[in-house]
Amino acid sequence: MAKKSKIAANERRKAVVRRYAERRAELKEVVRTGTSQERAEAVRALARQPRDAGATRVRNRDSVDGRPRGHLTRFGLSRVRFREMAHRGELPGVRKASW
């Protein structure tokens, strides 16, 4: 189980990313297509945004216990939790392979 503070910090980051997503996309489009003057202003505006406004700051965590490593995106679980739940039959459509 991850520390509650780490899980809470990650949730705060997700909220900041959502809050700044639209403005950030607009500025990135200006950086991509604008004139050199507009680009420079857009880059400065991006630099003034909070550090946590970038989506890469959000960590994928297990939805059950917050484990940060071995995350399986399709299920939103860590490898450990996925294995436990699959063995207990709690994941629909998932069964142990045998060949």
Side-chain angles (χ1 to χ4, degrees), residues 7-43:
I7 295 170
N10 202 46
E11 292 304 316
R12 278 194 307 272
R13 283 189 195 105
K14 286 180 184 178
V16 172
V17 167
R18 279 193 300 271
R19 190 176 327 133
Y20 286 92
E22 188 177 331
R23 177 66 178 145
R24 201 169 168 78
E26 291 170 2
L27 290 171
K28 284 186 172 260
E29 182 63 26
V30 171
V31 169
R32 196 173 67 79
T33 60
T35 65
S36 60
Q37 177 88 16
E38 292 171 339
R39 282 182 186 163
E41 290 174 18
V43 168

Side-chain angles (χ1 to χ4, degrees), residues 23-74:
R23 177 66 178 145
R24 201 169 168 78
E26 291 170 2
L27 290 171
K28 284 186 172 260
E29 182 63 26
V30 171
V31 169
R32 196 173 67 79
T33 60
T35 65
S36 60
Q37 177 88 16
E38 292 171 339
R39 282 182 186 163
E41 290 174 18
V43 168
R44 279 194 293 277
L46 280 169
R48 282 193 303 267
Q49 287 189 340
R51 178 177 283 179
D52 286 342
T56 58
R57 300 279 294 184
V58 176
R59 179 81 175 170
N60 287 328
R61 290 185 174 271
D62 186 322
S63 60
V64 177
D65 67 359
R67 187 177 201 280
R69 303 286 182 103
H71 182 265
L72 301 173
T73 305
R74 184 172 177 183

